Amino acid sequence: MNTMTKTLTIAALSVVSAATLSAAPAAHAATGGKTACPAPSKAEIKRSGDSKVDEPARGSTAIRGVRVGHIPKGFTYGGVVADKRGGVTEYGYQWGDDRANADTAQRSLWVRVLCWPEARRLADLKRLPVTYGTFTGAVKTATIGGRRVLTKEGDGALGDGRYVGWVERKGVVVTVMASTPLVAGLDRIVAGIRLP
């Protein structure tokens, strides 16, 4: 996969310009000793808007304020994905490999935190106001990685695989999209995600 394709893959998830995101909060809002929701810095917002590609991909602390304790091996690139619209701030990271999108062995992982004040319980995810990664259609409730999650098959812009999401705490949603070759390890991936 060439650099242009990598950039387009990351850009497909980063749907607004850095200028639109410049109003996003750069600091964490504190509540009761915990951060309310990890938010992208101005530099990360700019990286997302510019569709910057990291080669090699970042590791377990790719998303400031979030620890992704298990990242499968084999990723060759990655990129920050940030967005703000409809009262939701999105902040995440997408890991990928050099296989073509049509290759069934392609490995990709997208972990995202959404700051959405209306998120209180799992059923709220069905109303999540985002462009990519909605929980509509054939959605099921399951326990994955010790967490109660909504889950659905990946489709469209998300690609093949499994998409899951949960409310970490009031106003903080976490979603994970794992491509088909990574679905068997989804329990470990989800269990390893920690927010302060």
Side-chain angles (χ1 to χ4, degrees):
M1 181 183 294
N2 62 33
T3 302
M4 177 59 115
T5 305
K6 292 173 189 174
T7 302
L8 290 174
T9 300
I10 292 167
L13 296 173
S14 183
V15 294
V16 295
S17 70
T20 304
L21 288 168
S22 63
H28 302 292
T31 17
K34 289 187 175 183
T35 54
C37 194
S41 66
K42 288 181 182 179
E44 294 289 70
I45 291 167
K46 182 168 177 16
R47 283 188 68 75
S48 178
D50 293 344
S51 299
K52 296 284 187 182
V53 175
D54 299 323
E55 291 185 79
R58 294 181 189 177
S60 63
T61 57
I63 309 163
R64 187 177 61 129
V66 178
R67 177 160 176 75
V68 182
H70 176 69
I71 301 171
K73 296 193 183 308
F75 295 121
T76 55
Y77 72 92
V80 172
V81 180
D83 190 5
K84 184 177 182 181
R85 70 174 57 202
V88 177
T89 299
E90 303 178 41
Y91 182 32
Y93 198 82
Q94 181 185 20
W95 291 265
D97 69 14
D98 285 329
R99 292 178 180 93
N101 289 344
D103 188 337
T104 57
Q106 183 196 35
R107 297 161 56 85
S108 65
L109 176 66
W110 179 32
V111 176
R112 169 177 70 166
V113 176
L114 300 118
C115 304
W116 182 41
E118 293 183 36
R120 289 177 174 78
R121 54 195 178 92
L122 200 55
D124 293 337
L125 270 62
K126 294 178 182 179
R127 302 182 295 109
L128 193 60
V130 294
T131 303
Y132 295 103
T134 61
F135 286 96
T136 57
V139 177
K140 296 178 183 175
T141 303
T143 300
I144 298 176
R147 291 184 163 98
R148 200 74 178 145
V149 301
L150 284 187
T151 181
K152 69 181 240 178
E153 294 296 318
D155 59 1
L158 297 181
D160 293 331
R162 169 93 38 207
Y163 180 59
V164 303
W166 65 91
V167 177
E168 179 73 15
R169 58 182 169 260
K170 182 180 174 184
V172 182
V173 173
V174 179
T175 67
V176 176
M177 177 62 202
S179 64
T180 301
L182 303 179
V183 169
L186 197 52
D187 272 326
R188 191 170 173 199
I189 294 167
V190 170
I193 295 174
R194 295 282 179 262
L195 279 71

